[in-house]
Amino acid sequence: MPAYVISDVTIRDAEAIEAYRTRAAASIGQHGGRYLVRGGQVETLEGNWNPGLLIVVEFPDMERARRWYGSAEYAAALELRDAALGRNLILAEGMQP
């Protein structure tokens, strides 16, 4: 079943975020992931959730997503994370197509 990494991001530093994005994108691709949402307009229809920059990445399954998150490739991006952004990050299991 597919798995989704969902991130609600607040940008702290525009230069650092570009370097983080480059490293993160490369690591995601190396682990079979692909972006479904990467910024763009967000409209709250119900409730009080007003996310900043919303990012959704699809992986083939939960295990591949976990391996990506713990990988050396993604660790290189994480070195920049705290300077670049603040976020809430979750991993959600999808459904069979």
Side-chain angles (χ1 to χ4, degrees):
M1 279 188 275
Y4 301 92
V5 174
I6 303 167
S7 185
D8 175 3
V9 173
T10 302
I11 296 173
R12 292 184 178 148
D13 181 301
E15 288 181 28
I17 193 74
E18 289 307 317
Y20 170 83
R21 282 180 178 167
T22 299
R23 292 180 187 185
S27 70
I28 287 166
Q30 290 173 345
H31 288 270
R34 68 185 184 112
Y35 286 95
L36 298 179
V37 176
R38 193 174 184 187
Q41 183 179 356
V42 174
E43 180 179 343
T44 300
L45 298 176
E46 294 184 18
N48 298 321
W49 185 28
N50 293 303
L53 179 73
L54 193 62
I55 299 167
V56 179
V57 176
E58 181 182 56
F59 285 92
D61 54 49
M62 294 285 277
E63 185 54 36
R64 292 276 293 269
R66 287 186 191 108
R67 281 197 310 252
W68 160 76
Y69 187 73
S71 72
E73 297 86 6
Y74 187 55
L78 289 175
E79 292 173 359
L80 301 169
R81 180 196 54 208
D82 292 340
L85 57 94
R87 71 174 175 194
N88 292 304
L89 183 74
I90 62 170
L91 174 59
E93 187 172 48
M95 298 172 44
Q96 286 286 8

